[in-house]
Amino acid sequence: DIQMTQSPSSLSASVGDRVTITCRASQSISSYLNWYQQKPGRAPKLLIHAASSLQSGVPSRFSGSGSGTDFTLTVSSLQPEDFGTYYCQQSYTTPQNFGQGTKLEIK
Amino acid sequence: EVQLVESGGGVVRPGGSLRLSCIASGFSFDDYGFSWVRQAPGKGLEWVSGIDWNGGSTGYADSVKGRFTISRDNAKNSLYLQMNSLRADDTALYYCARDRNAYYSTFDFWGQGTLVTVSS
């Protein structure tokens, strides 16, 4: 199985900050990497698919990059509604494992 | 509007069985693959099982292989998860998730989940 490791596990940032979350796969997954946002008590929401493609309706301040084993999710200018937990997920092969999550708090 | 509504969760004793259902509306059900993804209380997301658009391909996490069976009924716009030999570590909120395409790899719409509690 492919293991997905996110860093950091948590972070606190201020409105307007540029925030970056990293995801590393245990083997190459090409660009088969997705990012989700989950708010407390809510279902996850797809933000980015295929490493860098913005899902319809997602604000353009979210962006993704990377290929192979190393990927990043960037929020260019953090907004108050961006709090929550972010998960990466590989869609290269079964099982389609998720990372352990990064909890983002707004200062 | 895309809607996914899960049902069938509840409290069950270890070794017991449950059948989860997910009814879809607002799109052409048989064009898409689906997955079940679970989340234990206070924990992260775990992909459980997936099925392609016509049921010809299915996949399972190692943790549920041989105990859980995914299926679909395109005539009823419904997805199912038969869960047997349930264990305490199966306790979780179970989400039904639609794929962006016909397979089961990228999840663009999610239901609100149904809670499964395995306890004696």
Side-chain angles (χ1 to χ4, degrees):
Chain A
D1 296 1
I2 297 175
Q3 305 305 315
M4 307 301 294
T5 304
Q6 291 180 230
S7 61
S9 296
S10 64
L11 76 153
S12 181
S14 299
V15 172
D17 283 353
R18 181 181 181 90
V19 170
T20 297
I21 298 170
T22 297
C23 178
R24 174 165 289 175
S26 60
Q27 65 186 74
S28 178
I29 56 171
S30 184
S31 296
Y32 293 90
L33 191 284
N34 308 312
W35 290 98
Y36 301 84
Q37 176 196 62
Q38 186 180 33
K39 296 185 177 183
R42 304 288 296 274
K45 173 186 175 182
L46 178 64
L47 300 176
I48 302 284
H49 61 92
S52 60
S53 295
L54 193 67
Q55 175 68 1
S56 175
V58 174
S60 59
R61 63 181 179 272
F62 290 93
S63 64
S65 65
S67 67
T69 60
D70 295 315
F71 302 87
T72 59
L73 172 71
T74 299
V75 186
S76 60
S77 179
L78 198 64
Q79 298 302 301
E81 62 267 30
D82 297 336
F83 74 93
T85 301
Y86 291 79
Y87 295 93
C88 63
Q89 176 242 338
Q90 64 86 9
S91 54
Y92 183 75
T93 189
T94 297
Q96 284 82 343
N97 288 334
F98 290 86
Q100 81 279 16
T102 296
K103 186 174 183 179
L104 173 57
E105 297 179 330
I106 309 296
K107 284 182 183 175
Chain B
E1 179 192 5
V2 173
Q3 284 198 318
L4 299 171
V5 179
E6 303 95 335
S7 62
V11 180
V12 62
R13 295 191 174 183
S17 298
L18 277 178
R19 188 194 196 206
L20 306 185
S21 299
C22 172
I23 296 179
S25 60
F27 62 98
S28 180
F29 183 79
D30 54 9
D31 282 345
Y32 295 90
F34 289 87
S35 284
W36 290 97
V37 178
R38 69 185 180 184
Q39 188 167 36
K43 302 299 184 182
L45 301 171
E46 180 187 15
W47 178 83
V48 173
S49 181
I51 189 167
D52 72 352
W53 69 281
N54 69 350
S57 176
T58 60
Y60 298 90
D62 288 345
S63 59
V64 307
K65 201 172 293 183
R67 300 188 299 123
F68 290 11
T69 302
I70 192 170
S71 62
R72 63 188 294 161
D73 184 338
N74 286 351
K76 295 183 178 180
N77 287 358
S78 294
L79 175 74
Y80 306 103
L81 186 68
Q82 178 66 44
M83 304 187 296
N84 298 330
S85 303
L86 283 161
R87 312 186 303 221
D89 61 0
D90 295 317
T91 294
L93 185 65
Y94 283 73
Y95 292 104
C96 166
R98 192 190 80 167
D99 195 86
R100 291 187 67 251
N101 297 296
Y103 195 58
Y104 46 91
S105 61
T106 301
F107 318 124
D108 65 349
F109 283 96
W110 300 60
Q112 288 308 303
T114 186
L115 183 62
V116 172
T117 303
V118 184
S119 174
S120 55

